Amino acid sequence: MSVVIEFLAGRGADSEGRMIGEIQGRPEIWLESRHDFIQWLFPLPEPSGANPDAPLLTRADAAAIAGDGALKAALLASVDAMARLYGLHRAGALFARGPAFPGPFRDWLGPIDHNHLRLTRILRCLSLCGLVETADGLRRLLDEIAAAEALGAWGLSLKYWRDAGAWPAHWTAPGG
């Protein structure tokens, strides 16, 4: 079993010894101020510049997640934890502004910051792991927020968010 699957399944810890449920339950101030957990909650096939200890998502990991309801549920629980930070609410694959929108830290509505990079990571991970509809739902809401409420120029972020589902060149394409 890979380290990614073990972590998502709640049987393994991240490089700091934290379990997935522990991270998901952390308060918003912790989620905002720490930069070494998001790579574990939402692994990607590309190395992280912010966390060199983070595991890489393999094609086999993505397929295992896509085919396992419990692993997808763990990924969605991480989505919900991060949605709290942004004052968003998820119902199935649909996202909306929650009663606490924009969350405790309005800064993410400004120009590109680390939260935009986190959102790109979330969208990409969801797309690669078979949760394309959920990624599309989040992307739609982000497009709406960009048009109505974003305080800064989100053009580059919007491009990254649109491209987040691109299949890695070194992976065999689905069905290929």
Side-chain angles (χ1 to χ4, degrees):
M1 204 54 61
S2 81
V3 67
V4 167
I5 300 303
E6 289 294 308
F7 177 76
L8 292 176
R11 295 187 299 262
D14 71 1
S15 56
E16 300 298 315
R18 300 171 298 214
M19 302 299 282
I20 189 171
E22 176 187 347
I23 295 170
Q24 291 166 339
R26 293 286 186 148
E28 288 82 358
I29 186 73
W30 189 91
L31 296 173
E32 174 61 18
S33 63
R34 296 297 301 252
H35 302 280
D36 63 350
F37 70 92
I38 195 81
Q39 303 86 355
W40 284 85
L41 293 182
F42 303 100
L44 295 180
E46 300 82 19
S48 166
N51 186 355
D53 295 329
L56 298 181
L57 181 73
T58 67
R59 174 75 177 100
D61 291 334
I65 295 165
D68 186 301
L71 294 174
K72 286 195 287 193
L75 204 53
L76 291 172
S78 293
V79 169
D80 294 340
M82 293 307 294
R84 278 193 343 255
L85 180 63
Y86 306 122
L88 306 178
H89 173 74
R90 181 184 66 83
L94 301 175
F95 287 80
R97 293 163 187 81
F101 179 80
F105 309 98
R106 293 186 58 87
D107 291 354
W108 76 276
L109 290 178
I112 294 175
D113 74 354
H114 69 277
N115 286 301
H116 292 218
L117 299 174
R118 288 173 168 185
L119 289 162
T120 302
R121 174 176 283 278
I122 292 166
L123 290 166
R124 184 155 172 72
C125 182
L126 291 173
S127 295
L128 295 176
C129 293
L131 291 159
V132 175
E133 290 179 9
T134 305
D136 288 344
L138 177 56
R139 190 178 298 107
R140 276 192 296 277
L141 179 60
L142 292 171
D143 285 343
E144 289 174 22
I145 292 169
E149 293 149 302
L151 303 175
W154 278 20
L156 190 56
S157 290
L158 291 170
K159 179 194 177 318
Y160 288 141
W161 296 339
R162 279 191 298 273
D163 296 344
W167 205 250
H170 64 283
W171 283 11
T172 304

